[in-house]
DNA sequence: ATCCATGCAAAGTGTTTGCAGGTGG
DNA sequence: CCACCTGCAAACACTTTGCATGGAT
């Protein structure tokens, strides 16, 4: 919340009730709500709130580094015919995703904190970074 | 491809050109194409192919266990205000996602196969399984 | 010959954008 | 007071569905 106010001010962005409430709502829950869920909750405090304001605000905060998304953002669904247990390298610049295999990763033990949440049946590691093309020779 | 033919036959599902070509296309590439990308490629061999057939076929194959999706399927985007380095437990039944922390996971080394793909800057582990509620007391 | 699968077109979601009036700095 | 935000509504992209024809078994 501190961080939110500070970053908004730093970037010369106005601190509206909508923005503060939307961030407050998201920061106060641990269930990774959708835009619509945030909308419904905040609407109880700001009845005139519009759904598109929630989207605009969330994307703004993503640009500021205050918020992130679960899974790949804004992309169409992508499919995979590789059914073997595998892991992914994902380029944060161009979205490229490639499989790789690792017996070590396959056998990772779930920490206690995770076992408390449920019964783990599969480990899926995602390595995020820049692919050869994006970190490569040319301009970024 | 074998597996595809066999599973279709086992389930009494017709082996149409569309289905075989769509699977062949997806199995032949490692870049996790979207439905539209599959559509454009297969269209060169079956010009009358319709996009919705690609979708129907891909979902069918997911039900058969021939194909999977990258990221959570068919859900609206979900947001997260937790910017600390963390990992996720995801329930495959209800989609519940919760954060957990693990210093061990944070420090996982990227295997050679992954380093060959690009420069890794972050490790994000996803543990898939059933949450307490879904594996819990009640019916399946 | 039968029934399933396809193509077409239209509907359905979730998300984005243009604009006029309102609000924070 | 000025520029930026918001709400509204329409547009948009992606995915799904209903229906009649066409194809596989």
């Amino acid at each position: 919340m501190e961080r939110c106010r500070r970053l908004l001010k730093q970037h010369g962005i106005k601190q509206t009730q909508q923005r503060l409430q939307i961030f407050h709502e998201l920061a106060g829950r641990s269930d990774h709500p959708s835009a619509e869920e945030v909308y419904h909750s905040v609407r109880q405090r700001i009845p005139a709130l519009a759904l598109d304001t929630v989207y605009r605000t969330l994307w703004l905060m993503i640009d500021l580094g205050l918020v992130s998304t679960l899974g790949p953002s804004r992309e169409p669904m992508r499919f995979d015919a590789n059914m073997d247990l595998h892991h992914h390298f994902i380029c944060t610049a161009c979205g490229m995703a490639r499989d790789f295999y690792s017996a070590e990763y396959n056998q990772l033990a779930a920490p206690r904190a995770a076992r408390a949440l449920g019964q783990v049946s599969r480990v899926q590691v995602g390595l995020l970074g820049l692919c050869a093309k994006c970190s490569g020779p040319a301009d970024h």
Side-chain angles (χ1 to χ4, degrees), chain A:
Chain A
M1 207 64 219
E2 264 324 288
R3 202 169 133 65
C4 176
R5 290 193 132 92
R6 181 158 38 84
L7 271 174
L8 289 178
K9 178 157 285 185
Q10 266 178 28
H11 287 255
I13 292 169
K14 292 181 180 168
Q15 301 191 23
T16 64
Q17 274 310 300
Q18 287 86 335
R19 282 170 182 159
L20 295 174
Q21 291 289 338
I22 286 168
F23 181 79
H24 180 258
E25 174 68 23
L26 191 61
R29 36 200 297 184
S30 56
D31 63 342
H32 311 287
S34 64
E36 194 129 2
E37 288 170 327
V38 172
Y39 170 64
H40 278 113
S41 295
V42 176
R43 208 160 196 244
Q44 296 176 3
R45 310 188 110 234
I46 310 180
L49 181 71
L51 178 57
D52 56 273
T53 300
V54 176
Y55 279 107
R56 275 193 280 236
T57 302
L58 289 173
W59 294 125
L60 170 73
M61 289 178 175
I62 284 171
D63 289 345
L64 296 181
L66 274 166
V67 164
S68 67
T69 63
L70 227 59
S73 45
R74 283 196 259 203
E75 283 181 4
M77 182 75 63
R78 295 166 71 177
F79 299 87
D80 189 352
N82 180 359
M83 291 287 93
D84 298 332
L85 183 49
H86 64 274
H87 307 279
H88 289 140
F89 172 89
I90 295 152
C91 178
T92 51
C94 69
M96 183 212 79
R98 281 297 189 308
D99 299 349
F100 68 87
Y101 299 89
S102 165
E104 190 197 339
Y105 283 4
N106 294 347
Q107 291 165 10
L108 278 180
R112 200 181 305 148
R115 277 183 313 224
L117 294 169
Q119 187 178 335
V120 175
S121 60
R122 214 164 98 234
V123 183
Q124 180 97 284
V125 178
L127 297 180
L128 310 179
L130 294 176
C131 72
K133 209 173 281 177
C134 289
S135 68
D139 44 356
H140 58 296

